[in-house]
Amino acid sequence: MKTFLGIPRPAASRADVAEPQQYAARPGSATTLGQDHRTPGEPLRWGPQFPDAARESLRNEQMRRNLNFATTSIREKRAAVVAEAPDWELLRDAGSQTKINVMAHLPALLEEFERNFTARGGTVHWARDAHEANRIVANLIKDTGSTEVVKVKSMATQEIGLNEYLESEGIDAFETDLAELIVQLGDDLPSHILVPAIHRNRAEIKEIFKRRMESVPDGMTDAPHELAMAAREHLRKKFLRAKVAVSGANFAVADTGTLAVVESEGNGRMCLTLPDTLITVMGIEKIIPTFTDLEVFMQLLPRSSTGERMNPYTSMWTGVTPNDGPQNVHVVLLDNGRTRALADDVGRAALKCIRCSACLNVCPVYERVGGHAYGSVYPGPIGAILTPQLTGTSGHLDPNNSLPYASSLCGACYEVCPVKIDIPTLLVHLRARSVDQDKAAHRPTAWGAAMSAASVVMADYRKFALAEKGLGVLKLAAGKKGYIENVPLPIINGWTTSRDLPTAPDQTFRQWWKENRGSRGSSTPPIHDRPLGDTPQSSQEKVQEGREND
């Protein structure tokens, strides 16, 4: 495995550098609980920079408690079922290699899927971006004469803002996944890939249902069973009258033209079988070569996502089956920045993602700030590497430019990823790309100025020794506590707002050397204390001289 220490850093071209653009949060309507949420102008780019959004999220103690409880529970379930699989690492290797193969042959696989899906009565549409995909879906719905659709949970439709677009076209879209329903009724934004309402607790969900559903049972409590039954009653009428359904797809099999959706509630099965028209919106990276490959992912996905041995509902369809299920079947193959990511030999690894959300559940950053701080429908570690590549970035004012820095690089995400995406490597790669863009645009930064000053000092041992003498100021500032809580200086202040700065040691290495080695007859400083201009030969001679004096 490559580590982030050895990652290649391609130089940024001028084409990658754009003038800074101003991005600002757009205020949205309040939720049923009176909490303000931003309405995204772009589903992949809303709100402020990550540090500012995270700082605000950290003030929400209830959300942090909700997240801690939920992610801890999911982590424990996942760990238990993964431990039962003796070939788990082999499955991860197989899944990873399959996805690498897909990226290498993506155009051919997509064309093969189109041929097979079309041969079985389906219709394939190609969409370069969100606008094209939304327009295609809206026109297909209008052709049926329907003004409402039921939806299966779909990250792709969230990514393109389909619900909002359909609303602007006079079409009502009803989410049928329970968590998505909670988000929709609460005028909220999703905060998790698998469990969009993970930031809500049962009491909050009960209040949302009471205020927004047409009718709820008298005396309904926040017991999970009662909430589920209320949602079932609310959705039942919509299922029965719906003429059109919109879904995503977990996988698309090239050699058979088969689409697959996995879910846990049965709502997907209702959407995929009852309506006359079925429209699927799918990212082009969801393709896999053969039906045999599906076996591997059907073992990886449920264990990594919901902590189950298998999905309760797995639905597959291949075009149209006469007199059985939808007779008007479409699939929209969505690019929306994916070919941009594919062109990056390192960044393309993000397209291996199967949307299991395992990386979110182990991420210490996500657990504390939640999903809304990422300003994208793709939060957490995978969002930090996927979102900037899908949208591209245009300088430090772009909120997505800050996402690769939303990580401690602890590596927990890589350890649980079922397809072995080396997220730490990609994070550092994207950080390096941002730095290269700044250099190419000759854009000065406070961090760059600080590093330039540090290089001047560290390149000469005399200057470095002189700088060490100033460390006594830190000891005075630390006092008896032994650490400094806040330093009101640029860059350093960014560190000390969330961390304590340790004070300087009582004795520097030079002082120790002079005290312990100088008395032995050698005043020669250690090798790393000599000017960089010393030739290798003169350095070796001095080392030998020191040994003789010893």
Side-chain angles (χ1 to χ4, degrees):
M1 180 192 76
K2 290 194 301 185
T3 69
F4 62 84
L5 295 176
I7 191 168
R9 287 182 50 182
S13 65
R14 290 295 301 174
D16 297 327
V17 180
E19 291 301 316
Q21 182 178 350
Q22 183 65 47
Y23 295 89
R26 293 178 52 187
S29 58
T31 68
T32 55
L33 302 181
Q35 298 172 340
D36 290 331
H37 284 276
R38 291 172 291 278
T39 301
E42 296 181 63
L44 293 176
R45 186 192 277 116
W46 76 68
Q49 297 268 349
F50 178 83
D52 297 327
R55 194 173 296 112
E56 181 66 26
S57 295
L58 287 171
R59 298 190 180 102
N60 190 336
E61 295 184 3
Q62 181 61 59
M63 180 206 69
R64 294 175 65 182
R65 285 193 292 270
N66 296 346
L67 281 172
N68 177 263
F69 175 81
T71 55
T72 299
S73 175
I74 297 173
R75 281 199 305 267
E76 292 174 351
K77 289 178 62 179
R78 176 201 169 276
V81 295
V82 165
E84 296 174 355
D87 59 346
W88 181 250
E89 289 304 316
L90 294 176
L91 286 169
R92 290 182 73 203
D93 288 336
S96 176
Q97 194 56 51
T98 299
K99 282 292 189 175
I100 291 172
N101 181 52
V102 167
M103 296 307 112
H105 303 92
L106 187 57
L109 290 171
L110 289 170
E111 291 177 352
E112 182 182 3
F113 171 81
E114 180 182 32
R115 287 193 302 271
N116 290 319
F117 189 80
T118 302
R120 290 162 175 81
T123 303
V124 176
H125 308 264
W126 299 77
R128 287 172 291 189
D129 53 29
H131 177 72
E132 282 194 3
N134 286 330
R135 178 172 51 80
I136 291 169
V137 174
N139 288 341
L140 290 173
I141 296 170
K142 290 177 181 178
D143 288 345
T144 69
S146 181
T147 58
E148 64 178 35
V149 299
V150 288
K151 288 186 67 216
V152 186
K153 183 182 183 305
S154 164
M155 294 302 301
T157 59
Q158 287 183 15
E159 175 188 326
I160 63 177
L162 179 63
N163 288 9
E164 293 76 15
Y165 185 88
L166 293 180
E167 182 181 5
S168 70
E169 295 290 315
I171 300 170
D172 293 324
F174 298 109
E175 297 288 353
T176 63
D177 173 84
L178 180 56
E180 292 285 6
L181 176 65
I182 294 166
V183 169
Q184 186 177 48
L185 293 179
D187 294 324
D188 208 343
L189 296 173
S191 65
H192 191 276
I193 289 176
L194 181 69
V195 193
I198 196 172
H199 56 288
R200 297 292 197 187
N201 60 29
R202 293 184 302 178
E204 293 173 315
I205 295 169
K206 183 188 78 168
E207 291 303 312
I208 291 173
F209 282 9
K210 287 174 63 176
R211 298 185 188 191
R212 293 298 300 273
M213 283 184 175
E214 297 93 339
S215 62
V216 295
D218 294 334
M220 181 185 70
T221 70
D222 63 1
H225 175 73
E226 293 187 32
L227 295 174
M229 293 304 294
R232 176 179 291 184
E233 181 66 24
H234 172 77
L235 292 171
R236 179 69 59 174
K237 292 174 286 187
K238 294 177 172 54
F239 283 134
L240 294 177
R241 70 169 184 252
K243 300 300 181 183
V244 182
V246 175
S247 80
N250 294 99
F251 307 101
V253 184
D255 72 345
T256 61
T258 301
L259 293 167
V261 165
V262 297
E263 38 112 7
S264 300
E265 300 170 16
N267 64 296
R269 183 69 55 81
M270 300 281 279
C271 291
L272 298 171
T273 56
L274 293 179
D276 299 324
T277 299
L278 174 59
I279 306 167
T280 300
V281 181
M282 183 194 81
I284 55 176
E285 82 282 10
K286 294 298 186 71
I287 204 85
I288 58 176
T290 70
F291 204 84
T292 304
D293 296 319
L294 196 60
E295 175 190 355
V296 173
F297 294 102
M298 287 301 182
Q299 296 180 73
L300 289 171
L301 182 55
R303 284 177 165 84
S304 297
S305 56
T306 56
E308 297 171 299
R309 297 178 183 88
M310 64 181 295
N311 295 291
Y313 295 89
T314 299
S315 301
M316 290 182 277
W317 65 102
T318 305
V320 175
T321 302
N323 303 316
D324 184 11
Q327 299 299 291
N328 187 19
V329 179
H330 301 262
V331 60
V332 180
L333 299 178
L334 177 67
D335 184 341
N336 205 36
R338 285 160 175 79
T339 51
R340 187 205 325 269
L342 188 65
D344 187 328
D345 290 339
V346 178
R348 66 166 54 182
L351 298 179
K352 292 163 59 179
C353 177
I354 59 174
R355 308 292 191 270
C356 70
S357 75
C359 60
L360 281 71
N361 301 326
V362 299
C363 178
V365 176
Y366 173 85
E367 184 176 342
R368 285 156 179 80
V369 305
H372 292 156
Y374 293 83
S376 168
V377 298
Y378 296 118
I382 187 60
I385 62 173
L386 183 60
T387 299
Q389 295 194 88
L390 293 180
T391 64
T393 56
S394 57
H396 288 290
L397 293 180
D398 187 338
N400 288 350
N401 194 62
S402 65
L403 292 180
Y405 296 89
S407 172
S408 64
L409 300 179
C410 67
C413 48
Y414 170 76
E415 295 300 324
V416 299
C417 178
V419 288
K420 289 192 169 184
I421 301 175
D422 190 355
I423 294 178
T425 292
L426 269 68
L427 288 167
V428 175
H429 170 66
L430 294 176
R431 294 180 188 183
R433 192 165 74 181
S434 175
V435 171
D436 289 338
Q437 287 176 348
D438 286 341
K439 289 180 178 179
H442 304 291
R443 191 178 296 139
T445 64
W447 181 258
M451 291 298 100
S452 296
S455 66
V456 171
V457 174
M458 294 182 177
D460 189 301
Y461 83 93
R462 296 179 185 87
K463 294 177 181 177
F464 194 82
L466 186 63
E468 279 186 336
K469 294 180 179 180
L471 294 179
V473 177
L474 294 179
K475 294 182 67 65
L476 292 175
K480 294 182 179 180
K481 293 183 299 183
Y483 59 88
I484 303 171
E485 293 179 311
N486 186 39
V487 179
L489 295 174
I491 298 182
I492 299 178
N493 183 50
W495 175 274
T496 57
T497 51
S498 56
R499 306 171 181 84
D500 294 329
L501 182 67
T503 186
D506 294 330
Q507 188 179 47
T508 67
F509 179 71
R510 283 181 179 75
Q511 292 169 338
W512 177 90
W513 179 274
K514 184 176 181 180
E515 179 181 319
N516 293 276
R517 303 297 295 270
S519 60
R520 295 179 151 186
S522 173
S523 60
T524 306
I527 295 173
H528 56 268
D529 277 352
R530 299 185 193 115
L532 295 179
D534 278 9
T535 63
Q537 182 178 6
S538 63
S539 295
Q540 293 171 5
E541 290 172 353
K542 291 179 180 179
V543 171
Q544 184 61 35
E545 177 185 347
R547 288 174 178 169
E548 292 172 354
N549 289 335
D550 286 344

